[in-house]
Amino acid sequence: MITRNQPLWQQAMREAFRQPLDLIRFLELSPSDVDLNLKPTFAFCCPKSYANRIKKNDPNDPLLKQILPLNLENAQHLDFIDDPTGDLAAQTNAGVLQKYHGRALLISTSACAIHCRYCFRQHFNYHESVHLKIEQKLQTIHENVEEIILSGGDPLMLNDDKLNEIFQLVANKKHIKRLRIHTRIPIVLPERITDDFLMLLKEFPLPKVMVIHCNHANEIDNEIKEVLNKISETGTVLLNQSVLLKGINDSAQTLIDLSERLFEAKVLPYYLHLLDKVAGAAHFEVSKQTALQLIEEVKTRLAGYLVPKLVEERAGFPYKIAINNDKDF
Ligand SMILES: *Cc1c(COP(=O)(O)O)cnc(C)c1O
Ligand code: SF4
């Protein structure tokens, strides 16, 4: 029986793959096809919906590579560290990150629907801040903040009652002009985008932006496209951020296909991030020079609004740093 306390999406989370070997079997692969990290510090998690979009019997599938814990994670690289973006240092006691002018990022939960192996927050120590009441977090926010960013973890792991409470509190703060939600959930757990949630979004009185996280066109099948269309119909501006990942989306054609697929789903490309140098993710790194060549080719082939900004995060800077090689004419 499905009760109000057990929405379908929470059931989908309970049924997610938690053991890499179960996913390997589901994908008709053999354990010898992949060199698994059997004791990863960052746990494995993959919902069925995402698993269904991974090609069977292909250890190099770009969706699989984003989530499968490999032994490569254990290689030591001195410049890959636990907190490459300086977020731990910038976090206030209330779980608020205010690194940039006018925007405050709220760590609203530590939970995610999927665990991405390159995640820059994978070693983040959340537990001191996430359980603080949202009122307390909002009280600490300065009057010059015009935009609240809900992040995490993934804020859509919170249930609708909790989100409703947060939305009300944000809407009642006089100096807040916009709400932004950073989430990978429309891509990895489409069940979560329920009619009730869509109604919540639609009724939220301020302009709202949702920044999703999608790295490859194969992540958007017709079901996901439909979900994104529905979000767009609530009057929410949809943007995408990707991470440039070796062996996953490091070709101009892959990036072009991604931009085009996103646009079909009513999402505009926003940022293409150079990998944050987080411990365990060195095997995903694409050099800055290669990144520049790729984005150059994408620029020559796509309309300007389909080209994401290639950016890099450097601890201590007041914005994400654009990487480009445009010549001065
Ligand atoms: C990326 C980020 C933002 C948002 O930056 P935009 O350039 O406005 O997208 C805000 N706060 C923190 C801490 C961030 O890391
Ligand atoms: S969904 Fe986002 S926060 Fe969660 S593991 Fe993936 S990259 Fe990290």
Side-chain angles (χ1 to χ4, degrees):
M1 194 179 78
I2 296 160
T3 70
R4 195 175 144 63
N5 295 328
Q6 292 180 309
L8 273 174
W9 65 269
Q10 287 182 356
Q11 214 164 299
M13 275 318 294
R14 273 194 298 276
E15 289 164 6
F17 290 104
R18 303 279 175 177
Q19 297 298 332
L21 284 174
D22 292 340
L23 177 67
I24 291 297
R25 247 174 258 123
F26 172 79
L27 295 173
E28 295 162 17
L29 286 163
S30 132
S32 61
D33 292 330
V34 284
D35 186 13
L36 284 181
N37 181 3
L38 295 175
K39 288 206 172 73
T41 46
F42 182 45
F44 167 81
C45 177
C46 174
K48 293 254 158 69
S49 158
Y50 184 89
N52 282 327
R53 281 169 267 151
I54 301 174
K55 277 193 301 294
K56 293 275 160 65
N57 202 7
D58 179 5
N60 289 316
D61 180 90
L63 273 57
L64 177 62
K65 278 181 150 179
Q66 294 180 48
I67 57 154
L68 198 65
L70 297 181
N71 238 334
L72 288 166
E73 294 177 358
N74 294 319
Q76 295 289 319
H77 294 267
L78 288 180
D79 51 340
F80 282 71
I81 57 177
D82 280 359
D83 183 24
T85 58
D87 276 9
L88 273 177
Q91 187 187 200
T92 67
N93 290 337
V96 176
L97 277 164
Q98 207 180 319
K99 295 205 306 200
Y100 303 149
H101 182 82
R103 287 147 290 171
L105 185 148
L106 265 57
I107 303 286
S108 23
T109 169
S110 60
C112 282
I114 199 161
H115 290 178
C116 315
R117 307 317 298 175
Y118 51 83
C119 177
F120 74 99
R121 292 208 179 117
Q122 62 181 281
H123 308 294
F124 212 81
N125 186 3
Y126 288 103
H127 49 261
E128 289 171 17
S129 57
V130 286
H131 300 300
L132 271 183
K133 280 218 174 323
I134 186 75
E135 292 94 320
Q136 283 171 280
K137 294 188 196 226
L138 285 172
Q139 264 163 20
T140 68
I141 285 168
H142 196 270
E143 298 246 319
N144 68 9
V145 170
E146 299 191 329
E147 178 168 341
I148 296 289
I149 303 174
L150 301 180
S151 184
D154 198 312
L156 297 194
M157 290 299 276
L158 300 173
N159 65 34
D160 287 345
D161 289 344
K162 187 74 202 166
L163 283 175
N164 190 23
E165 187 193 329
I166 296 176
F167 284 11
Q168 299 300 327
L169 287 164
V170 169
N172 288 334
K173 280 243 163 199
K174 292 262 178 322
H175 53 97
I176 305 296
K177 294 186 182 159
R178 289 178 296 278
L179 174 69
R180 186 187 331 182
I181 303 175
H182 279 183
T183 174
R184 188 149 161 69
I185 276 187
I187 298 293
V188 298
L189 189 70
E191 298 92 330
R192 172 68 187 92
I193 311 301
T194 58
D195 289 346
D196 284 352
F197 171 70
L198 290 164
M199 191 54 77
L200 260 185
L201 261 190
K202 192 173 174 162
E203 288 177 350
F204 184 73
L206 300 175
K208 55 241 166 191
V209 181
M210 185 182 279
V211 183
I212 63 163
H213 169 187
C214 177
N215 298 314
H216 194 285
N218 292 1
E219 288 169 53
I220 304 179
D221 62 8
N222 284 338
E223 185 195 359
I224 302 297
K225 195 169 137 183
E226 180 91 351
V227 160
L228 291 166
N229 268 312
K230 282 187 188 163
I231 295 172
S232 165
E233 281 163 9
T234 68
T236 304
V237 173
L238 277 166
L239 303 173
N240 179 59
Q241 48 185 343
S242 308
V243 184
L244 186 58
L245 298 164
K246 191 164 153 189
I248 292 169
N249 58 10
D250 58 338
S251 89
Q253 191 59 52
T254 305
L255 294 171
I256 289 167
D257 291 346
L258 172 59
S259 277
E260 289 181 341
R261 187 73 61 87
L262 285 165
F263 190 71
E264 284 166 21
K266 301 211 165 44
V267 185
L268 281 173
Y270 181 38
Y271 282 148
L272 175 62
H273 295 266
L274 286 185
L275 181 75
D276 293 313
K277 295 192 174 203
V278 64
H283 54 295
F284 290 117
E285 193 183 22
V286 176
S287 74
K288 204 178 282 187
Q289 199 193 353
T290 304
L292 275 170
Q293 282 164 3
L294 288 172
I295 210 73
E296 183 70 20
E297 190 173 344
V298 172
K299 273 188 198 169
T300 56
R301 289 175 56 191
L302 281 184
Y305 59 87
L306 292 181
V307 181
K309 277 184 222 143
L310 180 64
V311 291
E312 148 178 71
E313 177 128 4
R314 268 187 242 154
F317 272 74
Y319 44 77
K320 302 199 201 297
I321 296 167
I323 316 279
N324 52 58
N325 58 357
D326 292 340
K327 296 161 197 76
D328 279 330
F329 289 108

